Amino acid sequence: DAGVTQSPTHLIKTRGQHVTLRCSPISGHKSVSWYQQVLGQGPQFIFQYYEKEERGRGNFPDRFSARQFPNYSSELNVNALLLGDSALYLCASSPDRDTGELFFGEGSRLTVL
Amino acid sequence: GEDVEQSLFLSVREGDSSVINCTYTDSSSTYLYWYKQEPGAGLQLLTYIFSNMDMKQDQRLTVLLNKKDKHLSLRIADTQTGDSAIYFCAEEGNNAGNMLTFGGGTRLMVKP
C-alpha cells in the first residue's frame, strides 16, 4: 500500500516568491495535517484539514494557507517567502480526525535564498 | 502554554539499553507519543501511552509516565545500530485533533 506521498521532494525559491506543496494521504484517510520542521528542531503544527474543512491552525502568519480536495489530497501554500521559511514541510494523514497517530510523508525540503 | 523538552543527544553501545527522557507541560494531554525519524525520512510512530497509565511495554520498547512530574521516558532494550535516529516525544494539543506539540528531539547514536 502506498504511504503518504509529497511533492516536490526538494525545491529552491527566492525571497518574496510563492510556493505550493502537495500531499496525497494514505487511501481511506480523510484527515491531513501539515507540519514545519526547521533544521535541528521538532516539527511544528501548521494546519489540519478533515473532510475538506480546516479543523486546526497553528501559530503561523496568514502567508500560510492550505486546502483539501474532494479526494482528500491537500496543498500547502506559502506566499511572500522569507528566509526563515526554509524548512522541511511534512504532511501527515490519519484515518481519524482526533488522534495523534499520524502517518507522515518524507517531506518537501524548501530552501529560500 | 505547551512546551516539550528533551535532551539533545544520547550515545550508547550496541546491546545496551537506551533511555530517552522528555518533560511536558500540558497536564490535560490524554495521550503522549514517541516518534522516530531516520535521516532523510519523515516521522514514524513508535508507541504511545494513555495518560492514566504508568507504563506500557511493546517488544523492546518500554514507556514510563510520571504524570505528577510530567515526565515521560522511552527505554529501548538491546539497542541495535538500526535504532540510531532522532526520537521525538509529543503531547496532544489543547484542541486535540491531529495537533501535536513535539519536543526538539533526542539524537540516539548506537556504537558497534
Side-chain angles (χ1 to χ4, degrees):
Chain A
D1 287 342
V4 176
T5 57
Q6 294 186 241
S7 63
T9 54
H10 295 80
L11 69 166
I12 299 173
K13 294 283 188 178
T14 56
R15 281 178 296 175
Q17 285 190 311
H18 162 91
V19 69
T20 297
L21 307 177
R22 295 177 177 84
C23 172
S24 292
I26 291 171
S27 177
H29 286 193
K30 297 180 179 179
S31 185
V32 170
S33 51
W34 287 93
Y35 284 79
Q36 181 197 63
Q37 186 179 20
V38 172
L39 193 63
Q41 298 181 17
Q44 265 198 294
F45 173 78
I46 310 175
F47 285 112
Q48 179 192 356
Y49 276 77
Y50 180 77
E51 290 278 20
K52 302 183 290 295
E53 291 193 1
E54 182 182 302
R55 199 169 180 275
R57 183 185 183 111
N59 188 22
F60 281 81
D62 291 344
R63 299 185 296 109
F64 288 75
S65 64
R67 54 180 175 167
Q68 187 178 32
F69 299 99
N71 66 353
Y72 304 112
S73 67
S74 178
E75 281 183 356
L76 175 70
N77 295 284
V78 187
N79 292 324
L81 285 167
L82 303 174
L83 296 179
D85 295 331
S86 295
L88 181 68
Y89 288 85
L90 294 164
C91 174
S93 75
S94 173
D96 187 344
R97 67 177 187 180
D98 286 319
T99 178
E101 293 182 64
L102 305 179
F103 296 81
F104 282 87
E106 295 192 349
S108 295
R109 184 164 296 283
L110 171 65
T111 302
V112 182
L113 302 177
Chain B
E2 300 164 348
D3 197 13
V4 180
E5 297 199 353
Q6 302 178 237
S7 53
L8 286 177
F9 187 76
L10 176 66
S11 178
V12 300
R13 292 220 170 267
E14 192 173 21
D16 289 350
S17 292
S18 309
V19 179
I20 302 171
N21 294 301
C22 169
T23 57
Y24 62 97
T25 56
D26 188 356
S27 58
S28 66
S29 291
T30 306
Y31 290 92
L32 294 144
Y33 301 85
W34 284 102
Y35 280 83
K36 174 183 180 182
Q37 186 175 37
E38 298 186 55
L43 277 71
Q44 173 194 0
L45 177 64
L46 284 178
T47 187
Y48 60 90
I49 187 167
F50 188 51
S51 59
N52 70 351
M53 297 172 65
D54 297 326
M55 185 182 86
K56 179 181 179 182
Q57 189 151 2
D58 185 359
Q59 299 182 334
R60 292 191 297 123
L61 305 179
T62 303
V63 179
L64 295 178
L65 175 60
N66 181 330
K67 202 170 179 183
K68 173 176 167 289
D69 294 338
K70 298 193 183 111
H71 183 267
L72 184 71
S73 67
L74 174 69
R75 178 178 180 269
I76 306 173
D78 187 26
T79 313
Q80 303 297 306
T81 54
D83 294 324
S84 294
I86 302 176
Y87 291 80
F88 294 94
C89 66
E91 62 178 359
E92 289 179 329
N94 287 332
N95 296 321
N98 296 156
M99 177 182 167
L100 296 178
T101 299
F102 285 88
T106 299
R107 181 177 295 274
L108 174 65
M109 178 179 290
V110 183
K111 299 178 184 176

